[in-house]
Amino acid sequence: MLRYLFLIATLFYGSGMSLAQDAWPVSSIDPELFGNANAVVRLYTCRFEVLNSGEAVETELRVVTLLNENAASETEQVFTYDNIVRIEEIEGAVYDASGQLVRRIRKKEIEDVKYLEYFVNDNRMKVLHFPRLAYPYTIEYKVVRRYNGLMFYPLFEPQGAPDQSVEVARFEVQMPTGLELRYKERNVPENSKIGPSHWEFLNLKAYDPEPFTPEGHNHLPAILTAPSLFSLEGYDGDMRNWKSFGQFIQALNTGKGNLPAATVEKIRQITADCQDVVCKARRVYAYLQDNTRYFFVGLGLGGWQPMPAGEVDRTKYSDCKGLSNYMVALLRAAGVEGYYTLIRATAEAQKAQFPDFPNAWFNHVIVCVPAGSDTLWLECTSQTESFGFLSDFTDDRPALIITPDGGQLTRTPKYDESVNVIQRTTRIDLTPDGSAAVHSEAVFRGIAQNLPASLAAVSQEQQRQYLYDRLPVGDFDIKTLTFERKNDRLPEVRQTLEINLPRLATPSGKRLFLPLTIFSEKQIAPPPAGSKRRFPVQAHARGVTEEDELFIALPEGFALENPVPEIALSAPFGQYTLSLQVEEHVLHVRRRLVLTPAVCPKEQYETLVEFLQNVAKADKTKAVLVR
């Protein structure tokens, strides 16, 4: 991962420590700020003073009143630093409910420890531990940082979470003559900007997070800032557009792609009989996976500059930068053009990059390979990931391809309900007392295979325990459980399961009450919101299709008492069908649920509630068998 991602969340704050008697009485908080709040930010200021293209001083002050145990995480504040970002000063204080100063945090109480001990890097962190008092009480800290390299300007988030209210927050950037500040506002209230580069936020109220809000979507205010021209350890950069920023990255990578002659020859040999780019890329990717492993290296500029390909070839390890640069070099040896590509990874980061605001807000590197009308995307840090598959780690988001001419912003593939598919065929032998022998074959594809692929890599005991914890049936005995992975551009996992169920159907007199859905994921309907809903609605972050087919052999002497009518549901969020047929003493059940990633207006929330309630009701359908 790239350097400074770890810093960004803690780099944005302000000035002036109060450390005064009766400074922060809880009684002075506006009662309206207590609603939905676990903490109230009394004052949060950040002054970022840019001295030149490569130096800046940042002063942060933050005062927070902790209302209950749910805010306890605030009592430990972590501040990371390295050879580029130095911490010049830290102060801390704690106040009781009346606002009286209880004590100041002494310098010897501030821990200074290695960051990411198991990786090679120069990151360290100072940890400020506040004593715990009876709630409510208030903590205060001040941090001053000096930057000797400037690729990042602050991200200012006055309201760090929905469960925080804010009395006052201020943010100011001071720029020298000749340098331009670029900024992007998100969810900033009107009249918050009180100067060319000065913002103030007053009385921001906490709120309850809403279910089925689109991934990455919230109404917390934020101000993103970025340099136009910047300098980092002797390299000058221009971030005014994606092309120029890509040229900076290209300059960092220059001269890092040379391979030993023996490796070049080896790659040529293993791809000699390939007739197209995909074949060559697949074999080179297999070579990478078989001969390297991931290990983070982040020293100084090395947090952004990759390890030379020759060194990776010798040591057989590197991080995402070094491995992706190595992969580009291997592809070049095979006569294939691949491009080093910056991206913001993790499932939660899907919506976190902004195409209209060039910035360095990336934390990962992958490889892009044009292949005629197709494009290959290669994750180079995993020994097990499928060739050409990005998973939810880097799918469907902006990516900056670094070409010889500079950066080109594009978007990675989207895996939706047509790709993320679960198909399950289950055969059940039912006995007169309601017990059953069950054999199920399931195929998971796309994002849906992530979890079973993880299970395939753990012990059988862990696999079985997971199944016992998750299966929506009562007591059961596992006879067989296997997972078979198929790695391809659309990977899949095949699961075979055999179980004995002491009680599948419920006997009552001469009847058996038989559930028609067994293994399918049960949908939970959220509570209605009425007119209180604030945010748009999304049923599923990416979309999924679940198809179940059950063949239930009836016990001798039993028959279906009454027909079960087909159920068909449809909404802007998806579709659901459930049907049952009797075929030669066998009940044939078909269930299909499709959830799309469609983002709908907040007014559609009640429609979603109704749809999921109806799905949950349909999934409780039972067939009545009579002797």
Side-chain angles (χ1 to χ4, degrees):
M1 291 193 296
L2 294 179
R3 175 191 212 65
Y4 307 128
L5 168 71
F6 311 109
L7 306 180
I8 293 304
T10 58
L11 290 185
F12 321 129
Y13 316 100
S15 63
M17 189 68 112
S18 65
L19 294 175
Q21 300 283 355
D22 304 316
W24 305 105
V26 176
S27 60
S28 67
I29 299 174
D30 184 339
E32 291 193 1
L33 295 181
F34 289 122
N36 301 315
N38 294 314
V40 177
V41 177
R42 314 297 298 277
L43 178 65
Y44 180 17
T45 66
C46 173
R47 185 178 69 242
F48 191 71
E49 182 182 1
V50 179
L51 306 178
N52 53 56
S53 63
E55 294 182 288
V57 176
E58 180 185 47
T59 307
E60 166 197 349
L61 170 68
R62 191 163 178 263
V63 185
V64 186
T65 295
L66 314 183
L67 302 178
N68 54 55
E69 187 64 28
N70 292 326
S73 61
E74 292 278 356
T75 59
E76 183 175 282
Q77 298 291 332
V78 178
F79 309 96
T80 56
Y81 69 96
D82 54 27
N83 291 334
I84 293 175
V85 181
R86 293 288 188 182
I87 294 178
E88 293 192 336
E89 178 184 351
I90 294 184
E91 299 178 62
V94 61
Y95 303 84
D96 64 17
S98 66
Q100 278 207 330
L101 174 66
V102 175
R103 74 179 181 91
R104 299 170 185 172
I105 308 301
R106 294 170 294 181
K107 287 187 178 180
K108 67 179 182 179
E109 296 178 277
I110 301 173
E111 285 189 273
D112 192 319
V113 297
K114 185 80 167 64
Y115 189 66
L116 296 177
E117 188 70 45
Y118 45 89
F119 289 153
V120 178
N121 61 82
D122 58 15
N123 299 104
R124 295 190 66 83
M125 60 185 181
K126 293 184 181 289
V127 185
L128 189 56
H129 297 281
F130 289 93
R132 296 201 178 193
L133 307 180
Y135 293 103
Y137 66 98
T138 300
I139 63 172
E140 176 181 29
Y141 64 80
K142 175 188 175 183
V143 181
V144 179
R145 301 178 182 85
R146 178 172 288 272
Y147 294 72
N148 295 301
L150 273 185
M151 191 159 27
F152 289 100
Y153 284 8
L155 162 66
F156 185 69
E157 296 177 299
Q159 190 175 13
D163 67 345
Q164 291 180 357
S165 291
V166 179
E167 283 190 318
V168 180
R170 299 188 184 98
F171 176 49
E172 181 180 7
V173 182
Q174 297 179 350
M175 300 294 295
T177 303
L179 288 183
E180 172 196 4
L181 170 69
R182 297 185 302 109
Y183 65 88
K184 181 179 178 64
E185 298 178 338
R186 287 190 303 158
N187 307 317
V188 172
E190 291 185 16
N191 303 320
S192 296
K193 195 166 185 290
I194 59 176
S197 56
H198 193 182
W199 289 261
E200 182 178 69
F201 301 84
L202 303 174
N203 298 320
L204 303 177
K205 296 179 182 179
Y207 62 89
D208 283 334
E210 296 178 337
F212 293 95
T213 297
E215 188 176 78
H217 184 99
N218 64 58
H219 275 196
L220 295 174
I223 301 166
L224 294 84
T225 61
S228 297
L229 304 176
F230 64 94
S231 178
L232 184 66
E233 293 198 5
Y235 287 83
D236 293 327
D238 183 343
M239 207 180 290
R240 287 175 291 190
N241 55 65
W242 291 115
K243 180 178 180 179
S244 61
F245 180 59
Q247 289 169 342
F248 170 79
I249 300 298
Q250 180 71 13
L252 296 186
N253 295 3
T254 299
K256 305 292 184 183
N258 298 322
L259 290 171
T263 301
V264 172
E265 179 59 29
K266 186 180 299 183
I267 294 300
R268 288 174 177 170
Q269 289 176 3
I270 66 176
T271 59
D273 62 334
C274 285
Q275 302 298 313
D276 56 42
V277 167
V278 174
C279 174
K280 290 182 178 181
R282 186 187 296 273
R283 293 189 183 175
V284 173
Y285 188 69
Y287 178 87
L288 176 83
Q289 289 185 312
D290 291 341
N291 289 277
T292 62
R293 62 187 176 90
Y294 176 85
F295 194 84
F296 178 67
V297 180
L299 297 172
L301 187 61
W304 279 86
Q305 193 172 54
M307 182 188 293
E311 189 174 346
V312 177
D313 190 77
R314 178 179 61 83
T315 63
K316 307 304 181 186
Y317 73 82
S318 191
D319 56 17
C320 64
K321 306 180 303 298
L323 293 174
S324 294
N325 179 66
Y326 182 53
M327 182 67 184
V328 169
L330 294 175
L331 288 168
R332 188 179 303 117
V336 174
E337 197 66 41
Y339 296 110
Y340 188 89
T341 301
L342 305 184
I343 200 164
R344 185 162 174 79
T346 76
E348 294 76 20
Q350 187 186 27
K351 309 291 184 182
Q353 187 53 271
F354 301 93
D356 63 342
F357 185 69
N359 65 87
W361 194 252
F362 298 101
N363 66 346
H364 192 52
V365 181
I366 58 177
V367 171
C368 173
V369 181
S373 60
D374 197 1
T375 300
L376 299 173
W377 299 92
L378 305 177
E379 170 56 60
C380 300
T381 62
S382 171
Q383 281 75 52
T384 59
E385 189 58 88
S386 295
F387 168 76
F389 183 69
L390 291 181
S391 188
D392 56 2
F393 194 58
T394 49
D395 72 315
D396 191 24
R397 70 199 70 198
L400 188 65
I401 300 174
I402 309 302
T403 75
D405 295 328
Q408 294 181 7
L409 196 71
T410 186
R411 195 167 189 89
T412 55
K414 180 179 181 179
Y415 303 123
D416 59 17
E417 68 276 12
S418 66
V419 174
N420 307 323
V421 177
I422 303 169
Q423 293 176 314
R424 191 182 292 107
T425 301
T426 303
R427 301 185 183 278
I428 299 174
D429 290 316
L430 189 64
T431 66
D433 64 359
S435 62
V438 180
H439 179 95
S440 181
E441 300 278 347
V443 179
F444 303 82
R445 296 190 182 91
I447 303 296
Q449 60 84 49
N450 285 358
L451 178 58
S454 299
L455 289 173
V458 302
S459 69
Q460 190 171 73
E461 181 181 350
Q462 291 172 302
Q463 293 173 354
R464 288 170 171 261
Q465 187 58 53
Y466 178 83
L467 204 64
Y468 281 124
D469 292 340
R470 284 293 303 272
L471 270 187
V473 294
D475 186 31
F476 58 91
D477 176 52
I478 301 175
K479 294 180 60 181
T480 302
L481 175 60
T482 62
F483 296 91
E484 180 185 352
R485 294 189 64 182
K486 179 182 177 183
N487 282 2
D488 209 335
R489 294 185 64 181
L490 182 59
E492 66 179 42
V493 174
R494 292 183 176 271
Q495 173 191 286
T496 299
L497 172 65
E498 290 185 34
I499 63 175
N500 287 330
L501 285 168
R503 178 61 57 85
L504 173 61
T506 303
S508 178
K510 64 179 182 178
R511 290 177 175 80
L512 287 175
F513 293 86
L514 175 67
L516 298 184
T517 63
I518 300 176
F519 298 124
S520 54
E521 287 289 334
K522 300 302 182 285
Q523 300 301 309
I524 300 176
S531 60
K532 296 185 296 182
R533 181 78 187 190
R534 300 175 60 194
F535 302 142
V537 185
Q538 186 180 44
H540 196 281
R542 285 173 173 80
V544 65
T545 296
E546 188 178 20
E547 297 177 339
D548 274 283
E549 198 167 15
L550 284 79
F551 297 90
I552 306 171
L554 301 184
E556 187 67 31
F558 279 81
L560 184 66
E561 184 172 38
N562 293 304
V564 177
E566 180 177 351
I567 300 173
L569 307 171
S570 182
F573 313 96
Q575 304 85 40
Y576 174 96
T577 56
L578 179 69
S579 64
L580 183 149
Q581 292 178 318
V582 181
E583 302 169 351
E584 297 182 356
H585 215 56
V586 173
L587 299 188
H588 185 188
V589 182
R590 293 186 178 91
R591 176 190 182 272
R592 187 172 190 266
L593 173 65
V594 179
L595 295 176
T596 76
V599 176
C600 298
K602 64 180 182 180
E603 290 77 14
Q604 292 276 13
Y605 178 74
E606 302 300 332
T607 303
L608 174 64
V609 171
E610 182 182 8
F611 175 70
L612 293 180
Q613 285 177 338
N614 288 334
V615 169
K617 180 180 177 181
D619 277 344
K620 294 178 182 178
T621 301
K622 293 184 178 181
V624 180
L625 308 180
V626 63
R627 192 185 300 272

